[in-house]
Amino acid sequence: MVYGAGAVGGVIGARLFQQGHDVTLIARGAQYEAVRDRGLRLDTPEESVTLPVPVVDRPSKVTFQPDDVVLLAMKTQDTLPALAELAAVAPPYIVVACAQNGVENERLALRRFARVYGICVLLPSAFSEPGVVEAYLAPQTGSLDVGRYPAGTDGPAESLAAAFAGATFASKARPDIMRYKYGKLVSNLNNAVEVVIGPGEQGADIERLAREEGEACLRAAGIDAAAGVAIVSRIRPIRGRERGGGSSYQSLRRGTGSIETDYLNGEIVLLGREHGVPTPVNDLLRRLANRMAHEGLQPGLMTPEEFLAALDGPAPG
């Protein structure tokens, strides 16, 4: 089961389905209706294919089996209600694997399920319209390293890694998967920069400052973060169209009303407050991105100069 069939979940589900795996998507609203009625279309730099992937609109529509795996692929702010729905109908021994950014989802899942796995996701993708997902890396679709939470590898981790590796992803079973997820967390601090400043090089200085704060907080907390993994792929256009911004940028563009910033930049703010490390850049990015999502604003609220000036005073209203 792939619970959350947006950009990341839709692409992972589509690739696994292409390789003959027994995949069911759990989707909502227009995405559920489109996939139910027309199938899931996967667009990549190398192909466009519509796949008849089974889809349901809630976990209670699934008949669970002992060896089932549930991949969580929703944004972190949606994980708690999703887990509550899942735990109400799924046996507690199923495998739950978090194909999500940030480092909070695994802790949330472990409260309800005993077998929890982290997946470090490197998958530039997009959810452009209902029923359509896009994957911009080729020839490998992305990287999905996996490990048991909080640490270790075992049969399910090895099996998941093998399934991903056979479905055009780079994937290894790693006993220290959270090191890689903390490393990915630091790179994801730029998501809010794309929202507040806009995508591209214009926000490079703000991104650098956010990363420096993040790295300082991890050091103070004694958290070892691994560098990103290398894959044999590059981002390529799809039918002449370049990928826009990352997942937070896409959330704002779609007007979802919520954003993941509290669990990315907000994770750094939390660590900073716990360990006495100032995090003004990440806190301002967090506050501004949340306000923009709440008010339905589009990316590019201010220039880098305006952002730096706001660090010395209240955020613009």
Side-chain angles (χ1 to χ4, degrees):
M1 265 72 69
V2 179
Y3 195 173
V8 168
V11 171
I12 295 174
R15 284 306 202 195
L16 290 171
F17 183 83
Q18 281 183 307
Q19 297 304 312
H21 292 280
D22 182 7
V23 176
T24 298
L25 304 178
I26 304 176
R28 300 288 190 182
Q31 179 74 339
Y32 162 69
E33 294 169 359
V35 177
R36 178 196 63 191
D37 296 342
R38 302 189 299 274
L40 177 66
R41 193 177 93 203
L42 171 66
D43 288 347
T44 79
E46 299 176 330
E47 66 176 339
S48 179
V49 58
T50 298
L51 304 165
V53 189
V55 63
V56 298
D57 63 350
R58 56 180 60 89
S60 60
K61 299 287 185 69
V62 175
T63 300
F64 289 91
Q65 302 298 325
D67 58 350
D68 281 342
V69 174
V70 178
L71 300 182
L72 300 183
M74 68 286 296
K75 298 290 193 301
T76 307
Q77 67 268 25
D78 299 319
T79 296
L80 268 179
L83 283 170
E85 280 197 65
L86 184 64
V89 295
Y93 50 76
I94 62 168
V95 167
V96 176
C98 301
Q100 300 162 286
N101 287 330
V103 294
E104 182 65 16
N105 298 286
E106 290 81 4
R107 293 182 71 249
L108 296 175
L110 198 62
R111 296 174 189 273
R112 293 167 171 82
F113 297 95
R115 297 199 294 169
V116 174
Y117 297 76
I119 301 174
C120 186
V121 178
L122 175 58
L123 177 50
S125 55
F127 173 28
S128 59
E129 61 184 90
V132 181
V133 292
E134 300 168 340
Y136 283 83
L137 280 179
Q140 287 181 315
T141 304
S143 173
L144 299 173
D145 287 344
V146 56
R148 185 143 188 177
Y149 181 80
T153 60
D154 55 13
E158 297 284 353
S159 295
L160 273 173
F164 294 146
T168 75
F169 296 97
S171 184
K172 293 182 179 180
R174 297 186 182 274
D176 53 350
I177 190 62
M178 296 311 293
R179 289 182 64 236
Y180 290 85
K181 296 204 73 166
Y182 272 103
K184 179 73 187 308
L185 170 68
V186 173
S187 70
N188 282 138
L189 299 179
N190 188 51
N191 287 24
V193 179
E194 291 186 334
V195 165
V196 175
I197 308 299
E201 292 301 315
Q202 58 185 335
D205 288 341
I206 310 301
E207 178 186 4
R208 176 180 55 79
L209 293 172
R211 281 175 174 259
E212 289 174 354
E213 288 183 359
E215 290 164 356
C217 287
L218 295 183
R219 286 194 301 271
I223 296 171
D224 182 19
V229 297
I231 60 174
V232 187
S233 288
R234 61 185 181 88
I235 293 179
R236 293 162 50 186
I238 295 176
R239 294 192 300 277
R241 185 177 68 257
E242 301 288 343
R243 181 175 184 255
S247 58
S248 297
Y249 176 90
Q250 293 175 38
S251 292
L252 219 65
R253 288 293 301 271
R254 293 200 309 273
T256 61
S258 68
I259 198 166
E260 202 171 12
T261 312
D262 280 343
Y263 299 97
L264 301 176
N265 306 80
E267 183 71 29
I268 298 305
V269 173
L270 173 62
L271 288 173
R273 289 171 177 168
E274 288 177 336
H275 298 280
V277 179
T279 58
V281 172
N282 281 286
D283 194 31
L284 182 57
L285 286 168
R286 182 193 62 79
R287 289 187 287 128
L288 289 172
N290 278 330
R291 180 168 70 82
M292 293 171 70
H294 178 72
E295 296 179 6
L297 303 179
Q298 288 297 298
L301 179 68
M302 59 179 61
T303 67
E305 293 76 18
E306 290 169 335
F307 180 88
L308 292 172
L311 286 174
D312 298 323

